[in-house]
Amino acid sequence: MVMEKRKAKQFAQYVGELRKKKHLSMKQICKGLCSDRAAWYIEQGERTPGRLLREAILERLGVGAEDYECYLGYIEYTQWKMQHAILHRITFEDMENAEQLLDVYWNTYCQEEGHSRERYLSEEMGAGLNNSRLERQFYLSMLVQIRCYQEKRRFHDSCESHGNNICLESLREEIRALLTAAISLTISALEEKKISELVLSIKEINLILEAEHYRVERERPERYREILEYIESGRIDRRGKAKIYPKAVFFLCRCLLDGDIAEEANPEKMIFMLLKYCNRAVKILQDCGRMYFLWKILDMRERLLSRLKEFSNGHLGNTAVFNHFRQENIQWKQVLETVYEEFSVPKETLNYCYLYVAKGISCINDVIRIRSEMLDIKGEELCEGVCSIKTLRRVKKRTTVPQREIVEALFAKLGLSGELVKTELVTGIPKARELMEKLREHSNENQWEEVEELLAQIKPLMSMDIACNQQTIMRKEVMLYWKKGMIDKSEYCVRMREVLEITLPYEAFLKPGEKYLTREELSCIQNLMQGMDKADKEFLICMQRLEDIYQPFTETGAIETVSGMYEFIMKFLGSNMGNMGKFDKADKYDFIIIEGCLRTRRLWSIHDCLYDRWWNFAERKKKGIPTDIDLNDEEELNKCILLGQLAQSNATLFFRKN
């Protein structure tokens, strides 16, 4: 129980630091999410909230980060798996199976005896129901997306057949009722309040946007402006902004452009205002490497620039700058259209499942079983001083969820952090996590002077007595020393292996068999491989082991749950396979990454993978190796350059040299 309280207190410390920064009370943050008593327990560090409540609290504090590793007992893990299956089917527009799974989800997690869904929807806030509000809100939010898809299909059919719109309006009424019910679960009397008076999660903002769009009366531009002001007020971090700001901008622009902008008192001023919003949306997406509503925003910018030219009567100031900006926007929009079409992914952001996808989720029971086998730790040795052998067997078989202190003790013996929810760093200081995110981005762009400065700022904010903190910081330092020429390749490999072995023996990774590795351990191995001789047997074994780890995600199409790490690892493997002449296999991974990035709206890896695919094609052509694809050199490199520019990548300089 002592360990349980210590970990709960760390979450409370982290939340407390964020609350102070934003001048919010715990009661304000938790209003509508849980009881005041439950909020007090969380604030005092007496209890750790479940996954859905924890995510909602962090989102209301403006945290939109996706780099958490989260360990769940098998019961909560099973619920997450069902949620992910629903999200996956909606994302791939398999609505029939999505709705069937959603029915199972309702009956399993939301149903209260004697309360049908119809009765629930007719009662304000589901009064009298004891199940989690957030579980029911998830259910309703997913059902809205299914009904919206059906509305679009019915609208299309109605237009083609010139049929009546009675059924269509009935469907829209249902969508409105679902949205009202979903919002009222966690926000009371929304219409009586200004947005600025509320404390909202990203998911709640999204539901408010959807409800405004489906409003019986006309959409209100002023409401969309309120939401944009809320997002811009500093309440949401930059990753969170990327998820919701572009959608709010698109809704505002669509609302105003659907009317007659020529009737505005100053249409030119209005267009400039909307362009400012669009430009801000594009910049936020670029800075976070995301593409939520990006094509829509670029399309909207093109429309706005055309209207601006129309209203300005040729008085555009610097015409050359205007034309360059417009041409760049057209090129970015067209290259996105081309790539989306080639990989059969819709260019529009048609759903908001990305708001609900939880990454880095692992089952405690499975991790204990896999890790103990991987490290060859016998049951008696593992449970000595912790629990009975009978309890350990039940844990491994998923017939019991162990107490928190037992999990932490077992994890410690397995080289894992006792934190069941963690980012790269175990710390209760928000500033350390913010700096770490910046460091990661500078490292990806090989900006090592900036990395060195950020490391100096981060180290005083965290405890180096914690093994995973040591591993994270030392890995960055070893990479920094190598890139700056302070150590040679041989010493780099020795040091990187030492960093890995803070938590995991290298030989345990090399052995065949099922594995569980933390993100940081995977990063250590990939970094270690960078210094290896690529023709060496050891390098080939490492490649095979990494392929084995990610094979299940490739087979099930579930890479969105590990998307960041999948791109990081498999892009590296694919590039090396191309260098080895394994072009078909390299192309396979490039395709998976590109298609996955387009579907999950991730930007940063697309240009690199397109370049690797073109390079594989060019090498085949040089060597006279037949291939099923036929790529135009100039067109492919131009795609890489334009997408590299959009991603703000230094790689565009390299692409131009080819």
Side-chain angles (χ1 to χ4, degrees):
M1 186 58 71
V2 173
M3 292 290 282
E4 163 74 30
K5 287 186 176 181
R6 182 172 67 81
K7 302 306 179 185
K9 285 186 182 297
Q10 186 166 77
F11 180 78
Q13 179 194 353
Y14 182 60
V15 167
E17 292 289 335
L18 288 170
R19 285 196 302 102
K20 288 176 190 175
K21 185 177 177 181
K22 297 176 184 297
H23 308 291
L24 293 170
S25 69
M26 198 66 183
K27 188 174 180 179
Q28 285 175 293
I29 294 161
C30 292
K31 186 176 181 181
L33 300 178
C34 60
S35 67
D36 290 347
R37 185 173 180 80
W40 183 85
Y41 277 124
I42 295 168
E43 182 179 22
Q44 298 302 312
E46 298 295 324
R47 291 181 189 169
T48 303
R51 181 181 68 85
L52 292 177
L53 180 54
R54 182 177 62 247
E55 287 178 0
I57 289 170
L58 290 174
E59 279 195 19
R60 282 192 171 186
L61 284 163
V63 177
E66 301 169 346
D67 59 344
Y68 284 89
E69 285 178 294
C70 182
Y71 300 94
L72 305 175
Y74 76 91
I75 295 172
E76 198 174 6
Y77 181 78
T78 301
Q79 180 181 358
W80 169 76
K81 286 280 284 185
M82 188 178 290
Q83 284 190 347
H84 171 257
I86 293 164
L87 292 164
H88 184 78
R89 282 161 176 77
I90 292 174
T91 300
F92 282 82
E93 299 184 15
D94 181 7
M95 299 303 174
E96 183 177 347
N97 284 318
E99 188 160 10
Q100 289 174 4
L101 274 175
L102 204 52
D103 285 342
V104 176
Y105 186 86
W106 171 272
N107 293 327
T108 307
Y109 300 109
C110 307
Q111 181 73 47
E112 181 83 2
E113 189 175 350
H115 289 76
S116 67
R117 278 171 287 191
E118 290 72 21
R119 181 181 171 188
Y120 163 67
L121 288 172
S122 69
E123 295 176 358
E124 184 178 357
M125 291 185 67
L129 294 179
N130 296 320
N131 288 308
S132 165
R133 300 172 188 181
L134 294 169
E135 286 162 353
R136 296 197 301 280
Q137 194 173 65
F138 171 83
Y139 167 83
L140 294 169
S141 183
M142 296 304 107
L143 193 54
V144 164
Q145 293 189 91
I146 292 169
R147 295 291 180 262
C148 287
Y149 176 83
Q150 291 168 345
E151 179 212 8
K152 288 181 177 66
R153 292 292 298 271
R154 196 167 289 177
F155 177 76
H156 179 266
D157 294 345
S158 176
C159 289
E160 286 201 340
S161 63
H162 306 288
N164 65 60
N165 289 324
I166 295 174
C167 292
L168 193 58
E169 186 50 43
S170 174
L171 191 54
R172 286 173 177 160
E173 286 177 11
E174 183 186 356
I175 293 169
R176 282 192 283 270
L178 291 169
L179 285 165
T180 300
I183 291 168
S184 65
L185 278 164
T186 57
I187 307 167
S188 59
L190 175 63
E191 285 300 316
E192 298 171 16
K193 299 170 184 173
K194 293 180 180 178
I195 298 296
S196 59
E197 296 172 356
L198 302 170
V199 181
L200 301 169
S201 71
I202 298 165
K203 297 181 186 75
E204 288 169 324
I205 295 171
N206 175 70
L207 290 171
I208 293 169
L209 284 170
E210 291 289 341
E212 188 64 34
H213 172 55
Y214 280 98
R215 196 165 172 265
V216 176
E217 301 87 355
R218 191 175 183 274
E219 297 169 271
R220 297 166 293 182
E222 61 273 16
R223 195 64 160 174
Y224 290 138
R225 287 194 189 99
E226 272 191 86
I227 292 169
L228 285 165
E229 286 170 11
Y230 182 97
I231 299 167
E232 291 180 325
S233 66
R235 301 193 196 193
I236 303 175
D237 69 15
R238 66 197 195 102
R239 189 63 57 81
K241 283 180 185 174
K243 292 178 179 179
I244 199 65
Y245 187 84
K247 180 171 183 173
V249 168
F250 173 69
F251 275 36
L252 173 63
C253 291
R254 180 188 58 190
C255 170
L256 289 172
L257 286 184
D258 281 350
D260 190 353
I261 205 165
E263 293 182 2
E264 294 287 334
N266 191 336
E268 196 172 348
K269 183 179 179 182
M270 173 73 74
I271 291 169
F272 272 117
M273 178 198 72
L274 296 180
L275 275 171
K276 183 179 177 182
Y277 280 128
C278 287
N279 295 344
R280 173 75 172 140
V282 171
K283 185 70 171 85
I284 287 170
L285 290 169
Q286 287 178 309
D287 289 346
C288 294
R290 297 297 182 268
M291 297 191 293
Y292 311 124
F293 283 85
L294 178 56
W295 181 85
K296 287 277 194 185
I297 295 294
L298 295 176
D299 181 62
M300 191 61 71
R301 275 207 315 200
E302 187 177 336
R303 291 173 61 190
L304 289 167
L305 290 167
S306 295
R307 300 301 296 274
L308 183 61
K309 192 170 184 179
E310 175 188 330
F311 286 117
S312 67
N313 295 318
H315 303 294
L316 290 169
N318 192 325
T319 305
V321 171
F322 175 86
N323 289 337
H324 173 77
F325 179 70
R326 188 177 183 187
Q327 184 60 28
E328 180 182 66
N329 191 79
I330 290 169
Q331 288 177 331
W332 284 350
K333 180 188 165 193
Q334 287 176 343
V335 74
L336 285 178
E337 289 171 349
T338 300
V339 178
Y340 275 121
E341 183 178 3
E342 181 181 353
F343 288 85
S344 302
V345 177
K347 57 183 180 289
E348 299 95 340
T349 306
L350 297 175
N351 64 70
Y352 48 81
C353 289
Y354 58 88
L355 297 177
Y356 291 84
V357 171
K359 300 170 186 172
I361 305 290
S362 301
C363 177
I364 289 168
N365 305 66
D366 295 346
V367 168
I368 291 170
R369 174 183 58 80
I370 295 167
R371 190 86 171 187
S372 60
E373 292 172 3
M374 181 180 155
L375 299 177
D376 198 23
I377 301 176
K378 304 304 179 186
E380 293 80 4
E381 180 186 351
L382 183 59
C383 64
E384 184 181 357
V386 178
C387 63
S388 69
I389 191 72
K390 182 180 177 181
T391 297
L392 182 61
R393 287 183 187 135
R394 292 178 65 203
V395 168
K396 290 183 177 182
K397 289 180 179 179
R398 282 197 183 187
T399 58
T400 188
V401 178
Q403 295 178 349
R404 177 71 178 258
E405 57 267 29
I406 291 175
V407 175
E408 289 168 347
L410 293 174
F411 270 28
K413 290 191 174 189
L414 296 169
L416 299 170
S417 167
E419 294 294 327
L420 301 189
V421 182
K422 64 181 285 293
T423 54
E424 286 170 297
L425 300 178
V426 175
T427 176
I429 302 174
K431 182 67 175 175
R433 295 180 180 181
E434 292 171 17
L435 292 171
M436 197 66 203
E437 188 176 337
K438 291 180 182 177
L439 185 150
R440 189 165 55 243
E441 291 172 10
H442 285 301
S443 179
N444 290 341
E445 287 295 322
N446 293 310
Q447 297 166 339
W448 299 106
E449 297 298 329
E450 290 83 352
V451 167
E452 190 169 18
E453 290 176 11
L454 286 164
L455 277 170
Q457 295 176 54
I458 292 168
K459 288 177 75 172
L461 301 177
M462 46 168 283
S463 170
M464 289 291 280
D465 293 332
I466 299 172
C468 59
N469 285 353
Q470 288 180 39
Q471 194 172 57
T472 299
I473 296 302
M474 289 175 66
R475 179 174 69 86
K476 295 293 186 185
E477 287 179 335
V478 171
M479 181 66 75
L480 174 68
Y481 298 153
W482 184 39
K483 294 296 183 179
K484 293 189 73 175
M486 299 166 68
I487 56 176
D488 62 17
K489 187 182 288 188
S490 176
E491 187 177 354
Y492 165 79
C493 287
V494 170
R495 290 201 190 185
M496 192 59 75
R497 177 170 172 169
E498 289 172 353
V499 173
L500 170 66
E501 293 188 334
I502 291 172
T503 61
L504 176 73
Y506 179 51
E507 294 301 324
F509 167 73
L510 292 178
K511 290 189 303 184
E514 194 175 9
K515 289 182 174 55
Y516 173 78
L517 276 72
T518 65
R519 288 180 180 178
E520 190 57 36
E521 288 166 349
L522 285 164
S523 297
C524 285
I525 289 163
Q526 191 268 359
N527 288 168
L528 175 59
M529 290 172 70
Q530 289 183 44
M532 289 182 186
D533 182 345
K534 304 304 184 287
D536 195 81
K537 182 180 178 182
E538 183 183 345
F539 182 82
L540 299 177
I541 292 172
C542 287
M543 287 184 72
Q544 185 59 58
R545 298 295 172 261
L546 290 174
E547 278 193 274
D548 293 342
I549 287 170
Y550 284 107
Q551 186 65 26
F553 300 100
T554 304
E555 289 176 349
T556 60
I559 62 169
E560 62 263 32
T561 62
V562 288
S563 50
M565 285 306 296
Y566 188 92
E567 292 162 36
F568 175 67
I569 299 293
M570 301 313 293
K571 187 169 67 171
F572 173 75
L573 294 190
S575 178
N576 280 284
M577 285 171 187
N579 292 336
M580 294 172 183
K582 299 178 180 179
F583 301 123
D584 291 345
K585 209 168 188 182
D587 283 347
K588 172 190 170 183
Y589 287 123
D590 284 331
F591 182 91
I592 291 170
I593 292 170
I594 296 167
E595 196 268 348
C597 285
L598 292 172
R599 201 166 291 279
T600 57
R601 311 293 162 176
R602 294 172 65 85
L603 177 60
W604 282 335
S605 294
I606 298 174
H607 56 280
D608 284 333
C609 289
L610 283 172
Y611 177 81
D612 285 348
R613 186 185 67 158
W614 168 80
W615 188 90
N616 294 337
F617 169 77
E619 287 298 302
R620 283 192 188 99
K621 193 163 62 172
K622 284 180 193 174
K623 296 174 181 179
I625 300 172
T627 176
D628 293 335
I629 59 172
D630 185 22
L631 304 177
N632 179 285
D633 293 347
E634 185 177 346
E635 288 177 5
E636 290 303 306
L637 287 170
N638 191 49
K639 280 194 283 191
C640 296
I641 291 167
L642 289 171
L643 288 165
Q645 289 174 344
L646 191 53
Q648 300 179 317
S649 171
N650 293 332
T652 53
L653 299 174
F654 173 74
F655 298 151
R656 289 183 188 279
K657 293 176 183 177
N658 285 277

